[in-house]
Amino acid sequence: MSGRSKKSFPAERALQMTARQIGAYLNDREKKFAAEYLRDLNQTQAAIRAGYSAGKDNASAAATASRLMRDPCVRAYRAALIRESVEDMDVSRESVVLKLLEIYQRCMAAVPVLEWNSDTQSWEESGEWRFDARGAAKALEQLTKLLGLDAPVKLDAGGDGLEALLGALQGEKIY
C-alpha cells in the first residue's frame, strides 16, 4: 500500500476527493492499472501493462483485472482521473450544450443534392435540398436529456390538448 489501508477508505466521500487523495489508498500497480485502463478500456491488457502476471492465455491478468475493476477504491480512483481530465479540458455543461446546438444547426442546414451530369462531366445541383434529420434528432435528444427536458408530459384529457402540448414545449409543467 502507498500508506493508508483500503479498509479505511471513505467511499462516501470519494466524489469530493482528488485522484491523489484516493491514490494514497492504492499501491503503485493499482494506480498504474487504473491509468492504463483509461488508455484503451482493455482491462486485461491494462493489468499486463501495470505489471501483473499475464498467465496462460492471459487468464491470470484477466482475473486480476476483473478483481481490480470491482474494487471500490480502484473504481473511485478511475472516476477521479476521468473527472480531473474533463476539468483540465475545460468541459462543462454549458460547453456541451453549445456543441450540441452547433451540431443541431449544422444538421438542419439545407444542402443541395448534386447529380452527375455526364454531358458536362461535372456535379450539378438537382434543385432538391436535403438535411441530416437523423443527426438533428439525435442532437435534440441529447440536449433534452442534458437540460432535463426529457420528463414525460401528461396532457389533461379535459382541456385543449394542443394548448397543453404547446405549453409543454415552451417549458410549462403539465400534470
Side-chain angles (χ1 to χ4, degrees), residues 81-140:
L81 288 174
I82 292 169
R83 190 173 55 248
E84 289 173 9
S85 292
V86 167
E87 288 169 0
D88 289 345
M89 292 185 292
D90 197 27
V91 174
S92 66
R93 180 181 169 128
E94 291 78 18
S95 67
V96 172
V97 166
L98 290 174
K99 284 294 179 191
L100 285 170
L101 285 170
E102 181 182 335
I103 291 167
Y104 171 75
Q105 290 169 343
R106 286 185 180 182
C107 290
M108 290 301 293
V111 181
V113 175
L114 300 177
E115 292 179 342
W116 180 254
N117 184 331
S118 56
D119 294 335
T120 63
Q121 296 291 307
S122 65
W123 291 97
E124 297 177 359
E125 292 184 15
S126 68
E128 295 180 22
W129 295 78
R130 73 167 165 241
F131 64 98
D132 182 5
R134 185 175 292 165
K138 187 65 177 176
L140 282 177

Side-chain angles (χ1 to χ4, degrees), residues 6-167:
K6 278 192 188 178
K7 290 180 182 178
S8 65
F9 176 66
E12 69 282 351
R13 287 193 34 241
L15 288 176
Q16 289 80 38
M17 296 172 73
T18 65
R20 185 174 184 181
Q21 290 169 326
I22 297 169
Y25 294 90
L26 300 172
N27 65 40
D28 290 339
R29 283 199 306 182
E30 290 169 329
K31 288 187 278 192
K32 181 135 172 89
F33 168 79
E36 290 294 330
Y37 173 74
L38 294 177
R39 265 183 43 187
D40 61 6
L41 303 180
N42 183 323
Q43 54 190 30
T44 301
Q45 290 304 311
I48 293 168
R49 290 191 303 263
Y52 291 97
S53 171
K56 186 176 180 181
D57 296 327
N58 293 340
S60 180
T64 300
S66 178
R67 176 183 55 79
L68 289 170
M69 293 296 285
R70 292 187 312 270
D71 183 312
C73 198
V74 174
R75 290 174 63 150
Y77 184 69
R78 275 192 349 252
L81 288 174
I82 292 169
R83 190 173 55 248
E84 289 173 9
S85 292
V86 167
E87 288 169 0
D88 289 345
M89 292 185 292
D90 197 27
V91 174
S92 66
R93 180 181 169 128
E94 291 78 18
S95 67
V96 172
V97 166
L98 290 174
K99 284 294 179 191
L100 285 170
L101 285 170
E102 181 182 335
I103 291 167
Y104 171 75
Q105 290 169 343
R106 286 185 180 182
C107 290
M108 290 301 293
V111 181
V113 175
L114 300 177
E115 292 179 342
W116 180 254
N117 184 331
S118 56
D119 294 335
T120 63
Q121 296 291 307
S122 65
W123 291 97
E124 297 177 359
E125 292 184 15
S126 68
E128 295 180 22
W129 295 78
R130 73 167 165 241
F131 64 98
D132 182 5
R134 185 175 292 165
K138 187 65 177 176
L140 282 177
E141 176 187 334
Q142 295 299 315
L143 270 170
T144 57
K145 286 181 183 177
L146 184 63
L147 298 173
L149 302 173
D150 59 339
V153 176
K154 296 179 184 177
L155 301 176
D156 182 10
D160 183 0
L162 182 57
E163 277 187 38
L165 182 57
L166 289 173

